[in-house]
Amino acid sequence: VFPELVDYAVDALRELGATVLIISGVGHNAPDLVVGYRGRNFLMEVKQPGEDLRPGQQDWHAAWQGEVNVVRSISDALECLR
């Protein structure tokens, strides 16, 4: 996780009115953020542009029976909420 990118994404999401819980420290290849916005929840994995999910993260995403978003920019994060 790149803390500055996570911080920028969290700030932008909160400015939009979303609630954000940083869960990157949970481990087990879980995503970095849980975002609540307009009655919906979003899971977001924050990556640098061009960075791929690690194999364990790919497995986690494949096993998760809900939506998980990989975001590589603030605009990616904001787009998930639309």
Side-chain angles (χ1 to χ4, degrees):
V1 177
F2 296 87
E4 60 279 346
L5 183 55
V6 171
D7 290 344
Y8 293 139
V10 168
D11 289 346
L13 290 162
R14 286 180 176 158
E15 283 181 28
L16 193 63
T19 53
V20 182
L21 178 64
I22 300 169
I23 61 166
S24 53
V26 168
H28 307 286
N29 296 302
D32 298 313
L33 305 175
V34 177
V35 180
Y37 185 68
R38 295 186 176 174
R40 296 182 59 205
N41 295 308
F42 303 87
L43 298 177
M44 296 185 188
E45 176 66 39
V46 181
K47 292 290 184 189
Q48 289 282 22
E51 181 185 15
D52 293 325
L53 294 171
R54 296 185 314 270
Q57 291 173 322
Q58 292 173 3
D59 293 342
W60 193 98
H61 285 228
W64 187 253
Q65 295 188 30
E67 184 177 337
V68 185
N69 301 281
V70 178
V71 299
R72 293 181 170 84
S73 66
I74 292 171
S75 60
D76 284 354
L78 298 178
E79 184 63 31
C80 292
L81 305 183
R82 296 191 199 294

